[in-house]
Amino acid sequence: MKKLRIEFEETVALVNNFTEPIPADILLKLYAYYKIANANFDNPGSKTPLINAFKANALFQAKNMTKKKAMKAYIELVEKELK
């Protein structure tokens, strides 16, 4: 899993440095996969209730994923949509 973690972290860095706009639906999926992969289930921190609702919904839709599956899904989504 160490190799997967390294690939995941490299992919996260790529997304964080991405300069083009990323569609909202992709961002929400990435958000959910990231939170699950890092076992971070804190409340979404936006000051906008609607954004918090969308983030909570994205997490709810991905709630049955394991950390490993979430990392793989994050990487696959970036490769499909952003590369």
Side-chain angles (χ1 to χ4, degrees):
M1 186 148 151
K2 185 176 181 182
K3 183 179 176 185
L4 176 61
R5 173 57 72 176
I6 291 168
E7 185 178 2
F8 172 71
E9 289 175 3
E10 288 171 352
T11 305
V12 169
L14 182 130
V15 170
N16 288 339
N17 293 316
F18 206 72
T19 56
E20 299 295 318
I22 300 173
D25 61 325
I26 303 299
L27 283 174
L28 287 167
K29 288 179 185 177
L30 291 174
Y31 168 82
Y33 299 154
Y34 180 86
K35 295 283 271 187
I36 292 168
N38 289 294
N40 178 349
F41 300 104
D42 293 342
N43 289 330
S46 177
K47 293 178 181 174
T48 308
L50 185 60
I51 292 172
N52 284 336
F54 280 118
K55 286 180 173 182
N57 185 50
L59 270 172
F60 180 77
Q61 290 179 23
K63 70 179 178 181
N64 293 324
M65 291 184 123
T66 63
K67 289 170 80 170
K68 185 175 180 179
K69 189 174 179 184
M71 282 189 261
K72 287 181 179 181
Y74 189 101
I75 293 164
E76 289 170 6
L77 183 60
V78 169
E79 288 177 357
K80 179 182 174 195
E81 299 292 339
L82 304 181
K83 286 189 175 181

